[in-house]
Amino acid sequence: MRRIAVLSALLLCSACGARQKPLPAGPVGVSPSPAAPGTPRPGETVRELDLDHDGHADVWSFSVKGPDGAPVVVRQEKDLDHDGRVDCWEAYDAGGALARLAYDMDLDGRPDLALDFEEGRLVRKAYDLGVDGLPRTVAFYEGASLVRRERDTNRDGRVDTWEYWKDGQVERIGVDLDGDGQVDRWEIRPAAPAPGPAPRP
């Protein structure tokens, strides 16, 4: 039931230059604090919200003073399934737009799916379904289109597979087989044939 609730909330490069590189240290840089939900950081004030009116807070909104002295929301923590633990983290840029969104999908109390935004557009999505806090797959977007996906298939914290996408399809895949940071094998995917008239019987 909890997983369904979280999933419901989710609904609301150059190929030749591929190099082995470390994956980001964490999906969104919002590693949960050991402190209780709603604990402000230095300089923050917190506002608690009880959206389901059960007498317990399920959203914590953190703000700092802006240049004019008015409060500016910088982040939020949310308890989507009302179990008393945070499972959604939001961060906002200086203009108040959503910059980072993270979810705990596997019930371990840590963010393992993260989405980064620029000017309201998704630019990066990181998946971490492991136990060490490192993302295993990072996808990059331009406009609304997936253009590249980097994977760590051997779980050593470094990219070893690069996928390049075009028009919604994988165009080519590079794989580092010996861990030297170079692509050892390229797989070129043929383009799908253009639709044409149906053949005559």
Side-chain angles (χ1 to χ4, degrees), residues 5 19 29 43 65 69 73 79 83 85 91 93 97 107 133 139 142 148-149 156 168 174 191 199:
R19 289 282 194 274
K65 286 186 178 181
V73 176
D79 174 12
D83 68 347
R85 296 201 309 173
D93 63 22
L107 318 183
E142 292 180 3
R148 188 173 80 257
R149 183 178 286 154
D156 67 351

Side-chain angles (χ1 to χ4, degrees), residues 18-109:
R19 289 282 194 274
Q20 185 185 66
K21 57 184 177 181
L23 285 165
V28 293
V30 291
S31 298
S33 167
T39 303
R41 298 169 183 168
E44 293 181 340
T45 58
V46 60
R47 178 186 177 206
E48 295 186 352
L49 303 172
D50 178 11
L51 299 184
D52 60 356
H53 308 291
D54 65 351
H56 301 282
D58 40 40
V59 175
W60 297 268
S61 183
F62 302 88
S63 60
V64 298
K65 286 186 178 181
D68 59 356
V72 177
V73 176
V74 292
R75 64 186 182 94
Q76 287 191 341
E77 296 175 350
K78 298 181 178 180
D79 174 12
L80 299 176
D81 60 357
H82 315 294
D83 68 347
R85 296 201 309 173
V86 175
D87 41 41
C88 175
W89 296 262
E90 298 178 359
Y92 301 90
D93 63 22
L98 181 64
R100 191 162 288 171
L101 179 61
Y103 294 94
D104 174 17
M105 300 293 293
D106 58 5
L107 318 183
D108 65 354

